[in-house]
């Protein structure tokens, strides 16, 4: 099957299981997830969705999220959008129930056994409880901030990889006629990122996106160098993404005020003019200076923290990142990552936080070896482990470690040691950073950058992953299981008469990863996401 046919088949399999085209209100995607706004949540068949081979899990949040993994989601989403558009044009009623599964799916479902189902059920209950706790004004605000930056992640990744390639070619002295073009490609987006942030901010907060972008564009306009505020000349880009964020939010409030008070006959002329004028003046003579000071403080504090207490800071950050994700507080780091990338060309925080995923992988491998008789859980780990190595850790978290309890804590221990390892090298003067946010695990290698040669940077990050894997494995293997947990789960759970040999008359199949919860993608949602 051609790749485009495979992606369309996946989209076609998903559509009826979410209630059909008529039930889809909005479609978007991040690093790993297809995010759907649905009219009627009751029309969704969660279990049938999880049985689709390409689906790694589902998440119910402010949108309904189907985890497809990096790369796949970007290819399936356009096909899904086309199918929804075709369905709307044909005015086909939304199916209320899912089609019967094919024999292969039924066989795989039959091989799901008690312990894996119990873990999946516990993981789902934990996700539901977390969702209820996260519905606070502060966390909802952080989610809106994440919605502003997540759509920018693909461009950050693409430009970041080009920047790394350009740096390598410059250092080697190769293709000198091409490197200026690569530098332009890598730097063009970052030079105008404030405009995109302003556009997305206005869209997220209910204003006119282009007006948010217009106000944010003032920040990067070269002519601001001729303007003096707070006793000093402004510089283009001063305030960066934080200034753009504040300027666009202000523009939304000004626009909404104008819509309320300006007569309809004058609205088309007066509202956009006042929005840009008022917000622009406040941005030039206030926000640019204030946001610039805050941005500088963020960069200085990150440098100071890792230079003076890198090992300790890395240990704490790497160990606490998974709980931060569980609480939804990791979204507050997205503007910080973006600010550091804008200032320094890379964020030194992301490689440290990515070690949380390494600890999770090590813990999952330890669970695999500690439960040799439980084929159900072992199949779940084998199916989810490749994605975990690439930084998609939700299936392992919500399908294995978190429901088991103690292995989640020992996974955090692995992340702490991995983060401490990278933090130690930062403290010694070897900065390790990422030129984009989103990927983690092995997927972060192409985006690595630092203040030394690429080989050193890659070696330090790779060493951190190994430390995280090893620490997570050892902590889980020796301290992740009590006698009661082993007695409950280290038993054969195969149904009577079933084998996994694949011989005629036997039941085969790989346990599909249970529904994951929100994780780093946040681009993806990223590890920062």
């Amino acid at each position: 099957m051609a790749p485009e046919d495979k992606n369309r088949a996946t989209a076609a399999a998903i559509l009826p299981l979410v209630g059909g085209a008529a039930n889809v209100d909005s479609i978007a995607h991040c690093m790993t997830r297809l995010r759907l706004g649905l009219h009627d949540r009751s029309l969704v068949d969660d279990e049938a969705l999880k049985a689709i081979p390409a689906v790694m899990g589902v998440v119910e949040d402010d949108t309904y999220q189907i985890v497809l993994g990096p790369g796949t989601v970007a290819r399936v989403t356009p096909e899904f959008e086309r199918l929804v558009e075709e369905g709307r044009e044909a005015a086909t009623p939304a199916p209320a129930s899912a089609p019967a599964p094919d024999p292969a799916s039924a066989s795989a479902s039959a091989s799901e056994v008690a312990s894996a189902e119990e873990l999946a059920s516990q993981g789902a209950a934990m996700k539901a409880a977390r969702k209820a706790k996260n519905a606070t004004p502060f966390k909802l605000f952080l989610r809106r901030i994440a919605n502003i930056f997540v759509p920018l992640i693909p461009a950050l990744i693409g430009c970041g990889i080009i920047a790394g390639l350009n740096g390598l070619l410059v250092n080697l002295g190769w293709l000198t006629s091409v490197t200026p073009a690569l530098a332009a490609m890598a730097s063009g987006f970052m030079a105008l990122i404030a405009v995109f942030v302003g556009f997305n901010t206005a869209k997220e907060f209910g204003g006119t996106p282009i007006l948010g972008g217009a106000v944010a564009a003032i920040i990067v306009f070269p002519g601001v160098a001729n303007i003096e505020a707070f006793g000093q000349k402004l510089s283009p880009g001063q305030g960066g993404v934080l200034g753009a964020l504040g300027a666009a939010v202000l523009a939304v409030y000004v626009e909404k005020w104008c819509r309320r008070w300006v007569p309809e006959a004058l609205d088309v002329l007066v509202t956009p003019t006042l929005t840009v004028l008022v917000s622009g003046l406040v941005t030039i003579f206030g926000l640019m200076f204030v946001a610039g000071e805050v941005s500088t403080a963020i960069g200085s504090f990150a440098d100071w923290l890792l230079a003076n207490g890198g090992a300790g800071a890395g240990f704490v950050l790497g160990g606490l990142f998974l709980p931060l994700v569980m609480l939804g507080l990791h979204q507050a780091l997205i503007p910080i990552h973006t600010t550091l990338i804008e200032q320094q060309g890379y964020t030194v925080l992301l490689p440290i936080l990515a070690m949380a995923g390494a600890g999770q992988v090590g813990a999952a491998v330890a669970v695999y070896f500690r439960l040799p008789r439980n084929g159900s859980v072992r199949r779940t780990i084998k199916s989810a482990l490749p994605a975990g190595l690439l930084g998609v850790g939700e299936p392992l978290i919500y399908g294995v470690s978190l429901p088991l309890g103690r292995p989640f804590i020992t996974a955090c221990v692995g992340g702490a040691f991995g983060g401490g390892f990278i933090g130690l090298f930062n403290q010694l003067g070897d900065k390790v950073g990422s030129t984009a946010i989103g990927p983690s695990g092995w997927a972060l290698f192409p985006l690595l950058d630092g203040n030394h040669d690429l080989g050193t940077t890659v070696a330090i990050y790779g060493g951190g992953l190994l430390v995280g894997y090893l620490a997570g494995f050892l902590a889980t293997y020796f301290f992740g299981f009590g006698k009661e947990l082993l007695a409950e789960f280290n038993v054969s759970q195969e149904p009577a008469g079933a084998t996994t040999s694949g011989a005629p008359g036997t039941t085969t199949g790989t346990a599909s990863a249970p529904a994951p919860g929100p994780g780093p993608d946040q681009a993806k949602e990223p590890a920062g996401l």
Side-chain angles (χ1 to χ4, degrees):
M1 182 183 293
E4 58 271 18
D5 294 335
K6 178 181 179 182
N7 296 325
R8 188 172 180 85
T10 299
I14 291 173
L15 184 56
L17 301 181
V18 295
N23 195 39
V24 178
D25 178 55
S26 63
I27 305 170
H29 75 86
C30 58
M31 279 292 299
T32 59
R33 305 178 187 185
L34 172 63
R35 296 169 176 257
L36 304 178
L38 302 175
H39 296 295
D40 186 352
R41 172 65 180 82
S42 65
L43 298 179
V44 178
D45 190 333
D46 297 301
E47 295 306 315
L49 278 169
K50 294 178 203 174
I52 297 174
V55 174
M56 301 171 65
V58 297
V59 181
E60 186 177 1
D61 209 329
D62 54 329
T63 56
Y64 190 79
Q65 303 169 16
I66 302 171
V67 183
L68 298 172
T72 302
V73 69
R75 292 167 173 79
V76 171
T77 300
E79 299 293 342
F80 187 84
E81 289 174 335
R82 278 191 280 271
L83 289 175
V84 169
E85 186 63 30
E86 292 170 6
R88 287 172 178 168
E89 290 176 357
T92 303
S97 60
D102 57 39
S105 297
S107 176
S109 298
S111 70
E112 293 298 314
V113 291
S115 62
E117 292 175 353
E118 290 172 2
L119 291 183
S121 176
Q122 292 176 37
M126 290 174 177
K127 284 189 296 179
R130 191 202 64 82
K131 180 185 176 184
K133 291 181 180 180
N134 276 355
T136 63
F138 176 67
K139 291 177 182 177
L140 290 175
F141 173 77
L142 291 181
R143 189 174 299 158
R144 300 184 82 173
I145 297 298
N147 291 342
I148 292 167
F149 288 92
V150 165
L152 305 179
I153 289 177
L156 284 168
I157 292 173
C159 295
I161 291 177
I162 292 173
L165 175 61
N166 181 63
L168 180 62
L169 292 176
V170 169
N171 291 335
L172 294 174
W174 295 354
L175 300 177
T176 54
S177 60
V178 176
T179 51
L182 294 178
M185 296 175 200
S187 303
F189 172 73
M190 291 306 301
L192 297 175
I193 190 172
V195 179
F196 296 99
V197 169
F199 184 95
N200 287 347
T201 300
K203 182 179 179 181
E204 179 65 25
F205 282 84
T208 302
I210 198 65
L211 290 179
V215 174
I218 297 169
I219 293 174
V220 296
F221 178 60
V224 297
N226 300 319
I227 302 172
E228 185 175 304
F230 293 92
Q232 59 180 297
K233 292 281 189 179
L234 296 176
S235 59
Q238 186 172 338
V241 295
L242 298 183
L245 183 65
V249 170
L250 176 61
V252 170
Y253 281 101
V254 173
E255 181 187 359
K256 288 182 177 179
W257 183 90
C258 290
R259 302 285 184 204
R260 196 162 50 242
W261 296 103
V262 173
E264 290 185 9
L266 300 175
D267 181 75
V268 69
L269 296 175
V270 175
T271 297
T273 303
L274 286 180
T275 298
V276 175
L277 179 63
V278 174
S279 304
L281 288 173
V282 174
T283 298
I284 291 171
F285 294 105
L287 284 177
M288 286 186 66
F289 176 81
V290 174
E293 294 298 305
V294 173
S295 298
T296 301
I298 288 174
S300 299
F301 178 73
D303 288 339
W304 176 88
L305 181 64
L306 294 180
N308 293 276
F315 190 90
V316 172
L317 291 171
L320 292 182
F321 187 66
L322 286 181
L324 285 178
V325 172
M326 298 296 302
L327 295 172
L329 298 178
H330 67 294
Q331 293 167 341
L333 297 173
I334 296 177
I336 296 176
H337 287 311
T338 309
T339 297
L340 292 174
I341 293 171
E342 192 178 34
Q343 283 184 350
Q344 305 176 3
Y346 51 82
T347 168
V348 291
L349 297 180
L350 186 58
I352 291 175
L353 299 177
M355 294 301 106
Q360 176 61 56
V361 167
V365 174
V367 172
Y368 183 89
F369 284 104
R370 288 291 273 162
L371 301 179
R373 299 179 181 176
N374 193 321
S376 164
V377 171
R378 285 162 67 92
R379 281 193 299 272
T380 297
I381 293 172
K382 284 194 294 185
S383 66
L385 198 59
L389 291 170
L390 293 174
V392 183
E394 296 99 331
L396 291 176
I397 295 172
Y398 283 92
V400 181
S401 65
L402 187 60
L404 288 172
R406 200 184 296 180
F408 179 77
I409 298 174
T410 53
C412 293
V413 171
F417 276 95
F421 179 88
I422 293 183
L424 174 61
F425 278 91
N426 275 275
Q427 188 172 349
L428 296 175
D430 295 310
K431 289 186 178 181
V432 177
S434 169
T435 56
I437 56 178
S440 62
W442 294 3
L444 194 62
F445 277 110
L447 295 166
L448 292 176
D449 198 0
N451 61 340
H452 291 294
D453 63 275
L454 183 61
T456 300
T457 303
V458 168
I460 294 172
Y461 179 72
L465 287 178
L466 292 177
V467 170
Y469 295 152
L470 184 60
F473 176 87
L474 294 176
T476 305
Y477 192 89
F478 291 106
F479 304 105
F481 287 87
K483 293 182 179 179
E484 293 182 0
L485 197 63
L486 279 175
E488 179 181 357
F489 284 97
N490 191 27
V491 292
S492 176
Q493 299 290 332
E494 297 296 337
T499 71
T500 57
S501 65
T506 64
T507 300
T508 62
T510 299
S512 61
D521 51 358
Q522 147 92 155
K524 199 250 304 196
E525 323 313 352
L529 314 177

